[in-house]
Amino acid sequence: MFRLHTYWRSSSAYRVRIALNLKALDYESVATHLAAGEQNSEQYLATHAQGLVPALEHDGTVLVQSLAIIGYLDRLVPEPPLYPADLVGRARVEAMCHALACDIQPLNNLRVLQYLKGELGQDADAVKAWYGHWIHQGFRALETWASEHSAQGRFVYGDAVTAADCCLVPQVYNARRFDVPLDGYPVLRSIDEHLRTLPAFVAAAPENQPDAGPA
Amino acid sequence: MFRLHTYWRSSSAYRVRIALNLKALDYESVATHLAAGEQNSEQYLATHAQGLVPALEHDGTVLVQSLAIIGYLDRLVPEPPLYPADLVGRARVEAMCHALACDIQPLNNLRVLQYLKGELGQDADAVKAWYGHWIHQGFRALETWASEHSAQGRFVYGDAVTAADCCLVPQVYNARRFDVPLDGYPVLRSIDEHLRTLPAFVAAAPENQPDAGPA
């Protein structure tokens, strides 16, 4: 019924995998090997014109963009809700999602790193500095917000899982993968550590995907 | 009642100005001069921890991130709706918003261009090529989607204004400002041309803001 075009290490696909699991929705994984460039094939571009993952097929239609997909799933299957019911709470959770999904991740995804190395001729150190810079820019604000809004350092907002948790864990995974020091973010680290014990998050983790490659 | 921290040339603030106007909400403009670095002042960071515009004050609370603010306004004042009522339509409009607000604009905003010039020592031509590259990447997909979903080349989706229109016009403005050729996007150009005749869009345009500087 659900068919997810995914890649084990794509943090956008990781967000949607978590949401599908939280909603207890079974889905078929279709791996699109980003590092091998499969997202630029004519066939994949016919599915998703941006040539990005994820894309979710459901009921004969294709949905794209991780947060649009998460919003769709949340309306289709209301329990558990992935956004607070009150207007301000919802806007705060959405803002945290966008700070991660608009202001950190798109700056650090594969196509951008390839452009930095290729067109701009940057070496590995410069690319790593770039990567860490945007994570720190975003995490500083998120640490402030999580300090204000997390009830007990278990979830980003309040004391229940939201879409912001679906976005945080993949971004922390990326930070670790690129050796970005996270000492300055005790609240985010506590939340991430707790979330990664939850079954929906465990099942969505990159290393537990059928297309996982070597670390 | 509404107080918008804005900058005339910020395309994220421009989106929210359009939405406020579409909802016929009066607001006070507080200019934050990005090119002068005012967004990094301690005072502004206490308002918005990311040091970005826009931020919207309402009812004693501060909301950030343009799409979270637009979602809040749409729930607060339902008419005219800025998203289709059906689940798939809503997901498609949100996807178009995110393709603009996550995958184009954050790559081209001021702090990134400053990093390219400063830390990475790129010259004006390289920065301009970078800017155009990400616009073309995104606009190619948006042209495809708009061709499928725009009813008559007047709005991005269907035949009524949506949040995707609030995102498109500021991005086309940016493209023009950086001389990115738009010949390949006849549907987007037609939509943009129509939208820019509507009063809500005219009043939100950069050149019509109280803090507008020289072109």
Side-chain angles (χ1 to χ4, degrees):
Chain A
M1 192 170 174
F2 291 96
R3 207 157 172 259
L4 182 68
H5 296 266
T6 177
Y7 177 60
W8 67 295
R9 263 186 169 160
S10 155
S11 58
S12 311
Y14 190 176
R15 292 173 201 145
V16 173
R17 295 194 301 257
I18 297 168
L20 283 161
N21 295 342
L22 286 168
K23 299 290 189 181
L25 297 169
D26 277 334
Y27 65 94
E28 182 193 346
S29 275
V30 186
T32 301
H33 199 308
L34 299 192
E38 286 179 10
Q39 71 280 18
N40 300 318
S41 70
E42 234 175 274
Q43 193 197 339
Y44 190 74
L45 288 172
T47 300
H48 186 348
Q50 282 189 283
L52 297 170
V53 293
L56 183 70
E57 295 184 45
H58 179 235
D59 254 0
T61 195
V62 181
L63 303 169
V64 301
Q65 286 284 341
S66 62
L67 289 175
I69 295 172
I70 290 174
Y72 173 84
L73 294 174
D74 195 52
R75 289 181 180 92
L76 192 70
V77 180
E79 292 298 325
L82 296 182
Y83 297 91
D86 67 298
L87 290 199
V88 170
R90 178 162 191 133
R92 290 211 198 292
V93 166
E94 287 189 9
M96 293 193 266
C97 290
H98 293 138
L100 288 154
C102 299
D103 293 328
I104 302 179
Q105 193 273 330
L107 286 157
N108 284 348
N109 75 4
L110 184 69
R111 61 183 193 158
V112 174
L113 305 186
Q114 285 173 339
Y115 192 101
L116 291 171
K117 286 181 226 170
E119 281 85 342
L120 300 189
Q122 297 296 312
D123 64 19
D125 284 349
V127 171
K128 207 169 163 176
W130 164 280
Y131 201 99
H133 179 78
W134 302 115
I135 288 182
H136 287 306
Q137 287 282 320
F139 275 15
R140 271 198 286 270
L142 282 158
E143 179 76 9
T144 302
W145 295 336
S147 305
E148 290 167 14
H149 299 300
S150 176
Q152 307 172 50
R154 287 156 37 97
F155 301 98
V156 177
Y157 188 89
D159 202 24
V161 75
T162 65
D165 298 305
C166 301
C167 294
L168 178 69
V169 168
Q171 190 58 62
V172 173
Y173 169 87
N174 281 353
R176 283 215 192 79
R177 192 179 150 209
F178 278 76
D179 302 322
V180 179
L182 298 176
D183 315 277
Y185 315 109
V187 180
L188 296 183
R189 279 192 289 118
S190 156
I191 294 166
D192 172 71
E193 204 168 302
H194 167 251
L195 291 170
R196 282 189 293 115
T197 65
L198 306 180
F201 289 75
V202 173
E207 62 274 18
N208 296 330
Q209 301 316 299
D211 62 322
Chain B
M1 194 171 173
F2 290 96
R3 208 157 170 259
L4 182 68
H5 296 266
T6 177
Y7 178 60
W8 66 295
R9 263 187 169 160
S10 154
S11 58
S12 311
Y14 188 177
R15 292 174 201 145
V16 173
R17 295 194 302 256
I18 297 168
L20 284 161
N21 294 342
L22 286 168
K23 299 290 188 181
L25 296 169
D26 277 333
Y27 65 95
E28 180 194 347
S29 275
V30 185
T32 301
H33 198 307
L34 298 192
E38 286 179 9
Q39 71 281 19
N40 300 317
S41 70
E42 236 174 272
Q43 193 197 339
Y44 190 73
L45 288 171
T47 300
H48 185 349
Q50 282 190 283
L52 297 171
V53 293
L56 183 70
E57 295 185 45
H58 179 233
D59 253 0
T61 197
V62 181
L63 303 169
V64 300
Q65 286 285 340
S66 62
L67 289 174
I69 295 171
I70 291 174
Y72 174 84
L73 294 174
D74 195 52
R75 289 181 180 92
L76 193 71
V77 180
E79 294 296 328
L82 296 182
Y83 297 92
D86 67 299
L87 290 197
V88 170
R90 178 162 190 133
R92 291 211 198 292
V93 166
E94 288 190 7
M96 293 194 267
C97 289
H98 293 138
L100 288 154
C102 300
D103 292 328
I104 302 179
Q105 193 272 330
L107 287 156
N108 284 349
N109 74 3
L110 185 69
R111 60 182 195 159
V112 173
L113 304 186
Q114 285 173 338
Y115 192 101
L116 290 171
K117 285 182 226 169
E119 281 85 340
L120 301 189
Q122 298 295 314
D123 64 19
D125 284 348
V127 170
K128 206 168 164 178
W130 164 280
Y131 202 100
H133 179 78
W134 302 115
I135 288 182
H136 287 306
Q137 287 282 321
F139 275 15
R140 270 197 287 269
L142 282 158
E143 179 76 9
T144 301
W145 295 336
S147 305
E148 288 167 14
H149 299 300
S150 177
Q152 307 172 52
R154 288 156 35 98
F155 301 98
V156 176
Y157 188 87
D159 202 26
V161 75
T162 65
D165 298 305
C166 301
C167 295
L168 178 69
V169 167
Q171 190 58 62
V172 173
Y173 169 86
N174 282 352
R176 282 216 192 80
R177 192 179 150 208
F178 278 75
D179 303 321
V180 179
L182 298 175
D183 315 275
Y185 314 111
V187 179
L188 297 182
R189 279 192 287 118
S190 155
I191 294 166
D192 171 72
E193 202 168 305
H194 167 250
L195 291 170
R196 283 190 292 114
T197 64
L198 306 181
F201 288 75
V202 172
E207 63 273 18
N208 296 330
Q209 301 316 299
D211 62 322

